[in-house]
Amino acid sequence: MKKLLAAASLLLALLQPAAAVASVSLETSAGVDFTRMVFSFDQPTTYNVSPVSGNSFNIRFSRPFTASMAAMRDINAVVADYKLSDNMMVLGIKLTGHYRVRHNVVGTALVVDILGVNPLLAPVRA
């Protein structure tokens, strides 16, 4: 009986639809002393920002997403590298220096500010 229940549970788990992948709009901008990333979702999405080590941090979203990351090139004086995880729920970001990160939600968008930089004066990385 236990084996039958386990098999039924496994079958139900396999039949569950995978979480829908959200298509997210990513915009970036640079101010006088900050750089901003705005991830706009079509519906509210929870997230968690956590430091990894040194100049790196992760943004973990509650659901998978895809986005054109082309806008990240516009802030390459501050963002050295980035990678979206295989499950499309964690965005790892490596910064070019030690900066403070501030984040908040505005409507259905996550706004991430990297503070303490002057991107207008920072050297542009090739």
Side-chain angles (χ1 to χ4, degrees):
M1 184 64 157
K2 286 184 181 180
K3 288 183 180 179
L4 181 59
L5 286 174
S9 295
L10 178 60
L11 182 60
L12 284 174
L14 292 173
L15 294 176
Q16 294 286 333
V21 176
S23 181
V24 173
S25 168
L26 171 61
E27 297 178 41
T28 61
S29 60
V32 174
D33 61 351
F34 71 95
T35 294
R36 174 168 288 167
M37 295 176 279
V38 180
F39 300 87
S40 297
F41 285 82
D42 60 349
Q43 61 183 334
T45 302
T46 59
Y47 71 95
N48 179 283
V49 176
S50 58
V52 175
S53 64
N55 303 342
S56 299
F57 66 96
N58 284 339
I59 306 172
R60 178 177 300 279
F61 296 92
S62 61
R63 61 189 184 128
F65 76 97
T66 60
S68 169
M69 300 303 241
M72 294 296 265
R73 288 191 296 267
D74 297 338
I75 56 172
N76 69 353
V78 176
V79 174
D81 197 16
Y82 56 89
K83 182 179 185 329
L84 185 60
S85 66
D86 291 340
N87 70 2
M88 299 184 292
M89 293 176 69
V90 180
L91 179 62
I93 298 175
K94 181 178 181 184
L95 303 175
T96 59
H98 294 284
Y99 305 115
R100 199 173 115 229
V101 177
R102 175 179 66 192
H103 48 89
N104 65 324
V105 172
V106 178
T108 60
L110 167 62
V111 179
V112 178
D113 289 333
I114 302 168
L115 307 170
V117 300
N118 188 336
L120 303 178
L121 299 178
V124 175
R125 295 170 0 103

